[in-house]
Structures are given as C-alpha cells and as structure tokens.
Amino acid sequence: FCEICWDKQPAHKPKKRGADGYGHERIDKLVVERYRSILEPSSNAEEQETLHREDEDTTWFGIGRDHADEPVFEDYGRFAALMQDSLSKPGAVRHPQLVSFIGQTGAGKSTVVKMLINHQDLKTNQTLRSRFPAPLPGSVNDNVPVSANVHLYADPDSYLSDTPILYADCEGLEGGEGIPRAEAYRFQDGAVMPHAQRKDSDIRSRKKLHRNGNRVSRNLKWAHGDKEKSKREYAVTELYPKLLYTFSDVVVFVLRNPKTFESAVLTKLVGWASASFEKSLGQPALPHIIIALNATDLAIDASQWDVKEATNKLLSSVETAINTIPALQDHVAWWRANGRVIHTTKDLLECYYSSVTV
C-alpha cells in the first residue's frame, strides 16, 4: 500500500494489532518478492530441472562410486574456486570462516542459507534475482533431500574481504538410501547447461566448475567390504557431519520441533564431535554450535524470541539427559576421568563446542 492507503487499513493504524497479536509493518516490495520466491518456489518441472543443473556447480564434496562400485570420496574443487574467484589482490593472506548447516530432511537448512545470502545481497543489489548462487529449498516435511552431498556458498557481504564467510549446506539426514532430487536429474543424461546459455553479468555464472572436469577422487579403503559404511546413508549421517565439525567455525543444526532435540539431536551432536575431536590433529579451536528452531509458531511466549531466553529454555529441558541417556553417560565418564567437572548436559556440550546458542 502507498502511504495514504496504508493508513486507511484498520490493522495498520497506530497501536492496532493483526490477528496474530503483532502490529503490521510496511515492508519493501522487493524484499517481499525475494522472500516469496524462496518460501513459495516454482513447482514447474522444467524450471526445477534448470535450477538443479545450475546448482551442480556449487557441490563441494561427496561420495561417489568407482568402476567396482566401491565408495570413493569426491572433491569438486568448489572451495578453491570460491577463494580464487574472490581474490581481490595477488598474494593476499585470507582467513575464510566456515558456517556449516546440518539437520533433518525438510527442516529448512537450504531455505535458511538462501535467505541469509539474499538478505546480504539485497544491500547492494536492488533486483529480484540474486547475483550469488544459493541453495534450492525443498518442500516442508519432504523426506527426499533436494540436493545431494555437501554444497558450498559464499556470503555476499564478506565475499571480497580478508575473512570471507562460506556456508556449507549438508544433505538432509533422513534421506536414507533414496536418490536426492538433484541426483535424479543428473542421472537422466549427465548434461550440464551449455556455457553459451549462461550470462557473465553476475557472480552466479562466473568460473563454473563443471563437476566432472574438476573432480578429484580418493579411495575410502576403510569402507571397502563393509556393507554399512559403504552405504550412502552412512556418508550423510556420519562422515559429512564429522568432517564439517572438524573444519567449521560454526555448526548450525536446523530442526522444526524442539521436542525432538533430546531424543534425535543431542546424541548426534556429541557423537559426531567426539569422533572428530579424538581423531583430528591440529584443530585450532572448537566450533560454536547454534540450534536453529525453524518455522517456530508465532504464538509462543514473546520472550522466546530473545536468544538468551531461548537458549536457557532448551538447555534446561535437557539438563539431566546425561543421567538418563547411556550414550551420553559414556562421554561424561571419559571427561570426568580426565579431570573435567560435568554436572549438566550443557557442561558436556561445552566440552566439544566453544558455545551453545539457540
């Protein structure tokens, strides 16, 4: 609405509240259109296929199969390409920071990353299309992952700085052995978008990786002959999170239902961290952990929108979990044997993470 029409709307008058109890706010039309395109993506099959093919070039690493159908670790060169493409001056010393998004399939990891990228890009790009590649959001509560493996994206605000922030988007944990939607498109004919059809006016189309041309494969000998470890599900639920824990500055676990935190999330966070903590060498600092409660009901107590309050509430709800969950008791016993004082679940988490935030 324009200024005159806005003031005529009953809910928009001073001190009036909407049906949800909150006052209405005027929002820039471009912002609305940007976020609507994220939260209400096109269902056109042809458009979806085009977007999935474009997104192939953002793949960082994943698991493939060799000629003998044994699992191999594949690095697509995405990290090196981003760092080279954003280099502002030759020989500059840069310190990239990695924020990794992990979580349940359909919880909204990709949507959160896409909104972060779009929000930063809007500061200098007043068009509907973002100049920076971003993940493809999936449907709510969809059990099939949208993208396969781990993808890497640049934060627009820090891309050209000495400390660029990179977002890693990990495949959803509940996908099982099913083929993600992006892989289904790729397996149809293995084609990629011709270079002639790509515009060079933005960062999205510059220096495409062409996955097959820049792929470096490494044998996973520890998985050969092991039926469970050679499965795609093992890579997604164990290998990827452990690798990301080791190299991340921040780990963001996204979930939609906070009531599942104790039963479905807590042991994972401790288990991944413990395995990485014990096996890695030269890790300079522990990552921070952020628990992102996505799609929260607006009817919750307003105090829960405060980060400190939300953190205290969730951690209080699992305070005694270390006394009831056997898997956590083993970790507690190990730390206590090594002189660490642990009374609550928060104490245990802080053995593996620099901080815990909700």
Side-chain angles (χ1 to χ4, degrees):
F1 295 102
C2 67
E3 292 285 354
I4 297 176
C5 292
W6 176 270
D7 291 335
K8 290 181 178 180
Q9 304 304 312
H12 303 159
K13 292 181 178 179
K15 298 183 180 180
K16 290 290 185 178
R17 299 282 175 175
D20 57 6
Y22 291 89
H24 287 192
E25 299 175 14
R26 293 195 68 182
I27 301 177
D28 185 274
K29 184 180 179 182
L30 177 60
V31 174
V32 174
E33 291 176 343
R34 278 276 193 105
Y35 288 125
R36 182 171 290 160
S37 68
I38 296 173
L39 299 173
E40 302 172 9
S42 170
S43 58
N44 181 280
E46 186 175 334
E47 289 183 25
Q48 285 292 308
E49 181 172 354
T50 299
L51 292 172
H52 277 295
R53 294 192 185 284
E54 286 185 352
D55 196 48
E56 284 186 15
D57 286 330
T58 66
T59 308
W60 183 12
F61 62 81
I63 297 296
R65 296 279 172 175
D66 62 12
H67 62 281
D69 200 35
E70 293 288 357
V72 292
F73 183 85
E74 297 182 326
D75 178 357
Y76 297 100
R78 174 66 173 169
F79 176 79
L82 281 175
M83 296 304 295
Q84 179 61 38
D85 189 41
S86 61
L87 189 63
S88 58
K89 53 184 178 181
V93 177
R94 309 179 75 203
H95 303 279
Q97 303 167 85
L98 180 63
V99 181
S100 296
F101 290 77
I102 303 172
Q104 300 154 334
T105 305
K109 300 179 303 300
S110 298
T111 301
V112 172
V113 176
K114 189 176 183 70
M115 293 182 81
L116 282 170
I117 292 173
N118 271 262
H119 178 69
Q120 297 295 337
D121 186 52
L122 265 171
K123 293 179 179 179
T124 56
N125 175 28
Q126 295 296 306
T127 63
L128 185 59
R129 178 183 171 89
S130 173
R131 298 168 302 172
F132 286 77
L136 301 178
S139 301
V140 176
N141 297 323
D142 190 351
N143 291 325
V144 179
V146 176
S147 300
N149 302 316
V150 178
H151 290 241
L152 193 63
Y153 303 92
D155 167 63
D157 203 37
S158 61
Y159 188 55
L160 300 177
S161 72
D162 292 337
T163 54
I165 297 175
L166 304 178
Y167 300 127
D169 184 18
C170 186
E171 181 179 333
L173 299 176
E174 274 81 41
E177 290 298 295
I179 299 176
R181 301 194 187 285
E183 289 294 275
Y185 285 120
R186 190 167 70 92
F187 289 153
Q188 287 178 3
D189 54 19
V192 295
M193 183 184 294
H195 183 77
Q197 297 180 17
R198 296 171 174 156
K199 298 180 180 179
D200 292 330
S201 59
D202 56 29
I203 296 171
R204 176 189 295 275
S205 59
R206 291 163 55 192
K207 298 186 179 179
K208 287 287 187 177
L209 298 180
H210 301 299
R211 284 175 45 165
N212 293 333
N214 292 273
R215 180 177 59 194
V216 176
S217 298
R218 297 173 176 81
N219 288 323
L220 296 176
K221 294 182 179 179
W222 48 263
H224 289 190
D226 189 316
K227 186 176 180 180
E228 291 303 315
K229 290 185 177 181
S230 63
K231 289 183 177 180
R232 175 183 188 80
E233 183 177 8
Y234 179 84
V236 174
T237 60
E238 296 292 335
L239 180 60
Y240 297 168
K242 291 173 184 176
L243 285 173
L244 291 174
Y245 171 88
T246 303
F247 295 103
S248 296
D249 295 276
V250 179
V251 175
V252 181
F253 193 100
V254 183
L255 73 158
R256 301 181 76 91
N257 185 0
K259 294 180 180 179
T260 65
F261 180 71
E262 180 174 342
S263 60
V265 180
L266 190 54
T267 54
K268 288 184 174 67
L269 295 180
V270 173
W272 295 330
S274 175
S276 303
F277 185 83
E278 294 169 7
K279 299 296 182 181
S280 61
L281 298 174
Q283 188 173 10
L286 298 176
H288 300 267
I289 178 71
I290 295 176
I291 311 301
L293 304 180
N294 195 27
T296 300
D297 187 349
L298 293 178
I300 64 169
D301 189 303
S303 65
Q304 293 307 300
W305 294 105
D306 178 79
V307 171
K308 185 176 180 179
E309 290 292 331
T311 301
N312 290 337
K313 182 177 177 61
L314 185 65
L315 292 181
S316 295
S317 70
V318 297
E319 184 174 4
T320 61
I322 58 172
N323 302 321
T324 59
I325 301 177
L328 297 182
Q329 291 174 341
D330 294 339
H331 295 291
V332 171
W334 187 88
W335 281 105
R336 284 175 176 170
N338 285 272
R340 191 72 176 253
V341 177
I342 298 177
H343 297 299
T344 65
T345 300
K346 182 175 182 286
D347 294 334
L348 177 61
L349 286 171
E350 290 179 341
C351 291
Y352 299 107
Y353 298 94
S354 292
S355 68
V356 183
T357 306
V358 179

